[in-house]
Amino acid sequence: MGNKVLMKGNEAIAEAAIRSGCRHYLGYPITPQTELAAYMAKRMPKIGGVFLQAESEIAAINMVYGVAATGRRVMTSSSSPGISLKQEGISYIAGSDLPCLIVNVQRGGPGLGGIQPSQSDYFQATKGGGHGDYHLIVVAPSSVQEMAQLTGLAFDLAEKYRMPAMLLADGTVGQMMEPVELPDEKDVEFTEKDWAVTGTKMQRPHHIVNSLYLVPDELERKNFERFERYRRIQETEARYESFLMDDAEICVVAFGIAARVSKNAVLAARAEGLKVGMIRPITLWPFPSQALKEAADRVKGFVSVELSMGQMIEDIKLAISCRKPVELVNRAGGMIMSPDEVLAGIRKMNGGDNQ
Amino acid sequence: MTTGILIAGFGGQGILFAGKFLANMGMLEGRHLSWLPSYGPEMRGGTANCSVVLSDDPIGSPIVNHPDVLVAMNLPSLDKYEDEVVSGGTIFVDSSLIGRKVKRADVRVIYIPATQLAHENGIATLANMIIVGKMMKECDFLPYDGIEQAVRTVVSAKHADLFDVNMKAIGIGYQYQ
């Protein structure tokens, strides 16, 4: 670890990806993540890596599919509409059990939407997104430091479990600058994977990368195997931050920029004497259900704070089996709630007025 | 202590640059800080604003809803944000571009004709840094030491020739009575 530098969130992702051994970036520009691609365009040629601006998002994700098949670290990035275009390719990569990193710096939708920050791709990210039964590992940074940190984690988990990972950020965390301590350069020495398609040199059997299984029981077995892996991930890889939860009677749940805003509201509520804490999911899939389930035994209610019409709130209700009320504080379309709006939601949950 | 600063004006006035300078001052001081631009399709002539938070503690929201310090570099910005400033806060007004006075009585107001001063001194594009200089003078959260280093950091190597004029602009603002 070195000294802190001042960087934009999008740039921190790019630098962290390079330091964690990624030498292949395939993308297509879109606001508000373009700084990431621009950073890669500058750096990759200097370090023997590949930066390629594809002709479309669809082409980019299929190039990712190709590089992933060789076992090399590879990534793409885009923002909401572009991520929708990539879904077919992501489903193929998941169906072929290949690791890669997809970065979504979300903007308001649906459709072409706007370019201001949003979290309304939560469903798409955490429930699969493309066709078929599959999941992505989804990490949700709420600071520039986490943009860097979780990029490395997402690569590691993707490789460990041979599945695509998504870093789900938003325009605010992408555009803001904060001091960041970048991870050390990781040895990029390539280790041969026992599944990678790298040429047999006539010395070993073929490795086959494929997502087509025309025999139903074989395809079913593939799905069962994959979901057995998913179950292990859900048991061991859920990550979250617990903030002032020890004596909390109300639990705010928020991720990304919404968690940053909520933190101010939690502190303001504490100053009013309200016992409020926050659980901030760091992984959205696996969702930290166990932590919420345990919190449900102690708190009288939850407040879900989201930049969407209410998506994560469904996972909260599932996690706590609807045992406690969940209040929604939300903005959409690129608007961001103020700490005052979150505080109003907290007061409402506490049984007070909504002023 | 946490200070929320909101700098607002037209695109092209160096709003984001002024914010970056303050952020770099915070870096040199080893403080917690965040810098958040408004980003949008608008370029020169559109509205631009920039939130900078400097704090002794980890920062929650990087969005400054209720600034301790507001820098208004055009009338729409003053109209929009005047009421949001915390009671006891400070408003810097570029009085060469904003004809009206601040209505509030519970804030400290500093009028400086930054754009006019910039023109008079042959540094027309640096009204932003003249106001920054005035901020250094008036706000105790910004020590004058280390200012050269912060300017060097924020003026990229490619534009190193702009170091002197930025220092000149800060000096003009700092000395303005």
Side-chain angles (χ1 to χ4, degrees):
Chain A
M1 291 282 186
N3 290 331
K4 288 194 170 179
V5 290
L6 192 57
M7 269 186 143
K8 276 194 168 191
N10 286 335
E11 296 167 339
I13 294 173
E15 182 58 31
I18 289 168
R19 288 180 184 223
S20 66
C22 176
R23 290 294 179 275
H24 296 83
Y25 174 91
L26 304 316
Y28 189 83
I30 183 171
T31 302
Q33 64 78 52
T34 299
E35 292 84 1
L36 203 175
Y39 195 94
M40 289 299 198
K42 247 187 222 167
R43 285 274 280 131
M44 281 299 197
K46 289 182 186 153
I47 54 172
V50 174
F51 165 84
L52 196 150
Q53 180 174 321
E55 68 270 33
S56 71
E57 287 87 349
I58 298 169
I61 192 67
N62 283 292
M63 291 174 189
V64 168
Y65 187 13
V67 177
T70 70
R72 309 267 169 169
R73 287 204 160 178
V74 57
M75 71 179 288
T76 186
S77 64
S78 190
S79 180
S80 307
I83 296 291
S84 289
L85 282 168
K86 291 180 194 288
Q87 290 303 331
E88 181 196 44
I90 296 172
S91 173
Y92 278 50
I93 295 169
S96 303
D97 297 309
L98 294 175
C100 68
L101 174 63
I102 302 138
V103 173
N104 181 2
V105 184
Q106 297 167 92
R107 54 190 255 182
L112 213 40
I115 61 167
Q116 298 301 321
S118 173
Q119 298 178 327
S120 53
D121 302 345
Y122 178 93
F123 282 151
Q124 186 195 53
T126 60
K127 313 296 177 191
H131 60 283
D133 278 320
Y134 74 92
H135 280 291
L136 310 173
I137 288 163
V138 184
V139 296
S142 78
S143 64
V144 176
Q145 183 65 56
E146 276 194 343
M147 289 290 238
Q149 225 165 309
L150 297 184
T151 294
L153 177 72
F155 269 122
D156 290 345
L157 292 178
E159 236 161 59
K160 183 175 176 186
Y161 295 105
R162 279 184 62 184
M163 60 188 284
M166 177 172 280
L167 187 143
L168 191 69
D170 62 75
T172 312
V173 189
Q175 292 294 326
M176 69 191 274
M177 286 202 299
E178 283 183 317
V180 53
E181 197 172 320
L182 291 160
D184 286 335
E185 190 88 31
K186 197 169 171 168
D187 194 359
V188 297
E189 193 65 30
F190 178 64
T191 47
E192 190 71 33
K193 313 282 192 303
D194 61 8
W195 46 264
V197 181
T198 53
T200 64
K201 299 192 178 72
M202 307 299 258
Q203 283 165 3
R204 61 161 172 79
H206 290 286
H207 294 160
I208 296 170
V209 166
N210 173 45
S211 71
L212 177 68
Y213 295 89
L214 290 174
V215 182
D217 64 347
E218 201 186 340
L219 181 54
E220 183 189 50
R221 197 170 61 247
K222 276 279 166 192
N223 275 284
F224 283 173
E225 280 169 12
R226 205 166 287 128
F227 271 71
E228 174 53 27
R229 209 180 332 144
Y230 292 165
R231 193 187 54 75
R232 274 187 287 129
I233 295 169
Q234 284 175 303
E235 279 171 11
T236 55
E237 302 292 359
R239 288 165 169 82
Y240 62 94
E241 182 199 6
S242 186
F243 179 65
L244 301 178
M245 279 301 293
D246 283 349
D247 62 343
E249 292 168 359
I250 293 170
C251 175
V252 173
V253 188
F255 66 95
I257 187 63
R260 297 287 295 264
V261 174
S262 297
K263 194 175 176 188
N264 285 25
V266 167
L267 291 171
R270 284 270 169 184
E272 286 181 9
L274 297 173
K275 288 188 174 166
V276 184
M278 177 166 71
I279 290 178
R280 176 175 71 86
I282 294 171
T283 54
L284 299 178
W285 197 93
F287 194 67
S289 302
Q290 188 60 29
L292 291 171
K293 196 175 156 192
E294 284 164 21
D297 294 335
R298 293 179 283 119
V299 304
K300 62 181 179 189
F302 293 81
V303 180
S304 182
V305 185
E306 309 179 53
L307 302 187
S308 72
M309 291 312 292
Q311 300 190 11
M312 179 179 67
I313 192 170
E314 293 191 5
D315 282 337
I316 298 171
K317 287 178 176 175
L318 271 176
I320 65 170
S321 306
C322 294
R323 280 185 294 147
K324 295 285 165 70
V326 188
E327 177 77 25
L328 177 67
V329 174
N330 70 313
R331 295 298 297 264
M335 299 300 291
I336 300 181
M337 66 282 293
S338 67
D340 291 344
E341 288 170 78
V342 181
L343 185 57
I346 291 169
R347 287 188 192 130
K348 195 170 170 191
M349 176 52 66
N350 192 50
D353 59 28
N354 192 16
Q355 293 310 300
Chain B
M1 191 183 78
T2 298
T3 308
I5 304 161
L6 187 65
I7 310 171
F10 292 121
Q13 279 183 313
I15 302 293
L16 304 188
F17 184 87
K20 262 185 203 172
F21 172 81
L22 298 178
N24 275 286
M25 286 296 291
M27 274 298 274
L28 293 173
E29 296 265 294
R31 303 188 74 193
H32 294 276
L33 69 96
S34 63
W35 173 92
L36 178 69
S38 62
Y39 65 94
E42 64 270 6
M43 294 292 284
R44 189 163 301 175
T47 57
N49 70 69
C50 176
S51 290
V52 177
V53 182
L54 299 172
S55 181
D56 298 321
D57 305 303
I59 293 164
S61 176
I63 303 156
V64 175
N65 299 100
H66 301 294
D68 299 290
V69 178
L70 169 67
V71 176
M73 291 192 67
N74 64 13
L75 181 60
S77 300
L78 184 63
D79 290 344
K80 188 169 175 188
Y81 298 115
E82 177 175 347
D83 290 342
E84 305 303 327
V85 177
V86 299
S87 186
T90 307
I91 302 179
F92 289 85
V93 174
D94 185 337
S95 54
S96 43
L97 297 180
I98 301 172
R100 76 168 174 88
K101 297 287 175 193
V102 170
K103 292 168 194 151
R104 291 193 35 195
D106 63 337
V107 294
R108 188 162 73 116
V109 187
I110 289 146
Y111 298 97
I112 174 167
T115 299
Q116 189 192 325
L117 288 169
H119 277 284
E120 286 168 6
N121 286 278
I123 46 172
T125 56
L126 286 170
N128 58 339
M129 298 309 278
I130 290 178
I131 294 201
V132 162
K134 189 66 179 160
M135 288 174 81
M136 315 282 295
K137 174 87 175 187
E138 303 292 338
C139 302
D140 51 4
F141 59 88
L142 286 173
Y144 199 75
D145 312 335
I147 182 175
E148 282 197 21
Q149 204 185 331
V151 173
R152 261 184 227 293
T153 312
V154 74
V155 176
S156 63
K158 204 165 74 183
H159 300 294
D161 52 315
L162 297 177
F163 172 82
D164 289 340
V165 286
N166 274 280
M167 288 301 292
K168 180 180 172 186
I170 292 172
I172 291 168
Y174 194 84
Q175 279 147 27
Y176 178 79
Q177 296 296 325

